[in-house]
Amino acid sequence: MKYANGANMIIDDTFTNGIKFEGSEGWIFVSRGGEKTTASDPASAYGKALEASDPRILNTPLGGNDLRLPVSNDHHLNWLTSIQTREPAVTTVEEAHRSTSGCIIGWIAMKLQRKLRWNPKAEQFIDDAEANAMLARAERAPYGAFNLKAKA
């Protein structure tokens, strides 16, 4: 995936449970380390949750525009705890939505085996009805039949 800011995110079936970002100063590979999501997952190629083309990328001292993100060792538990305590989760709704969208877009491109163009504002593929049809599926009853106007 190529983002508007020029960053590239590489999703490839040769990687094990991770994403590789490439930029002008090198690359960073982010994964769950050696963790497996399912029993059938292959072992991680990197064995670490974070790897870079140059280790200095990961250890660069903070500068004036640098950002340190909150750490969560268990996103699901963090989300459940935030519901109980009403404290913010480490990931905002928008961040979670965009992260999930990136995964879905990549999955659709791999299924269709072609390049796709995405409009993030419209949240639709550009000029591709087949890809857009894969963005949603029929909802099971009674949710698919739910209509707010009918309840008003």
Side-chain angles (χ1 to χ4, degrees):
M1 295 181 181
K2 185 167 186 89
Y3 286 80
N5 68 359
N8 290 314
M9 181 173 71
I10 300 170
I11 304 169
D12 191 305
D13 65 356
T14 62
F15 299 147
T16 52
N17 197 11
I19 300 171
K20 186 175 185 181
F21 295 89
E22 289 186 347
S24 60
E25 298 178 32
W27 56 262
I28 296 175
F29 182 79
V30 182
S31 74
R32 295 176 187 231
E35 301 296 321
K36 295 181 175 194
T37 304
T38 66
S40 63
D41 281 351
S44 174
Y46 291 96
K48 296 181 184 178
L50 190 60
E51 189 69 41
S53 57
D54 181 343
R56 292 178 293 181
I57 294 171
L58 302 177
N59 297 314
T60 303
L62 286 177
N65 294 326
D66 288 346
L67 172 68
R68 291 285 178 185
L69 300 174
V71 174
S72 170
N73 292 320
D74 187 333
H75 283 346
H76 190 244
L77 179 60
N78 176 259
W79 175 69
L80 291 172
T81 302
S82 75
I83 293 169
Q84 291 174 333
T85 65
R86 301 292 188 218
E87 294 292 322
V90 296
T91 304
T92 67
V93 172
E94 180 70 13
E95 290 165 344
H97 171 68
R98 295 296 177 181
S99 296
T100 303
S101 296
C103 296
I104 293 167
I105 293 165
W107 178 83
I108 292 171
M110 286 189 284
K111 285 291 183 185
L112 294 176
Q113 297 183 353
R114 65 175 185 260
K115 288 184 178 185
L116 300 171
R117 293 182 353 185
W118 178 252
N119 179 333
K121 289 183 182 173
E123 296 193 2
Q124 292 282 306
F125 291 101
I126 299 169
D127 298 325
D128 198 319
E130 183 180 19
N132 283 324
M134 296 175 76
L135 289 172
R137 58 183 173 202
E139 297 172 344
R140 60 186 164 89
Y143 306 105
F146 187 71
N147 184 339
L148 289 175
K149 291 180 183 177
K151 301 286 183 188

